[in-house]
Amino acid sequence: MLRSSRIGRAIVAVRMDRDAAALMGIRVNKVYAVTFGIAALMAVACGALMSVVYPITTNITGLLIGKAFTICVIGGLGSVPGALAGGMALGLIESVAGNYVGAQYAILLGSLLMLVLLMVRPTGLLGKKGYE
């Protein structure tokens, strides 16, 4: 989607070089607003889906930010399919680890997977060069 649609190409152009994108006729402030709107929409969808699984408390943000960081690193930075693959990999690892070693160590094993993957493949599963 980021490579095939007009707004996707504008988002990538602004991410790479804001000044050059503005010189090419892209309205940078509009791209920022659309990108913020897309991120807010995805956050609302994520919150709605997570509220079914996790109890909502005020101190859950650390857990969710940690999981999001781990997913991005495992999947690879700069890759949307990588983020999906990282989420699936972390979910499977935590589910299997929760059954065998206990739920308290499932998050630890996910973090260990991230560290091992960083040593073996710094770009992540589907990451691109230059983002490591």
Side-chain angles (χ1 to χ4, degrees):
M1 179 171 157
L2 287 178
R3 291 189 186 130
S4 60
S5 68
R6 184 177 174 132
I7 190 68
R9 289 192 309 266
I11 290 171
V12 171
V14 170
R15 180 191 71 195
M16 288 184 170
D17 191 351
R18 186 179 75 195
D19 295 330
L23 289 173
M24 296 301 292
I26 296 172
R27 289 191 235 154
V28 175
N29 289 334
K30 180 182 175 187
V31 171
Y32 281 149
V34 168
T35 305
F36 179 79
I38 292 170
L41 180 69
M42 293 178 92
V44 167
C46 179
L49 292 173
M50 292 292 287
S51 68
V52 177
V53 179
Y54 288 108
I56 297 176
T57 62
T58 56
N59 59 356
I60 197 170
T61 57
L63 174 70
L64 295 180
I65 289 174
K67 282 187 184 289
F69 176 73
T70 305
I71 287 169
C72 287
V73 171
I74 289 173
L77 298 176
S79 171
V80 175
L84 293 172
M88 294 296 288
L90 184 66
L92 287 172
I93 291 295
E94 287 186 354
S95 296
V96 171
N99 286 333
Y100 288 110
V101 296
Q104 65 270 23
Y105 296 114
I107 296 173
L108 175 67
L109 286 178
S111 299
L112 287 175
L113 170 71
M114 177 185 71
L115 291 175
V116 168
L117 190 65
L118 278 174
M119 287 188 275
V120 174
R121 188 176 166 101
T123 58
L125 293 177
L126 300 174
K128 298 176 182 175
K129 283 278 191 196
Y131 285 98
E132 64 263 355

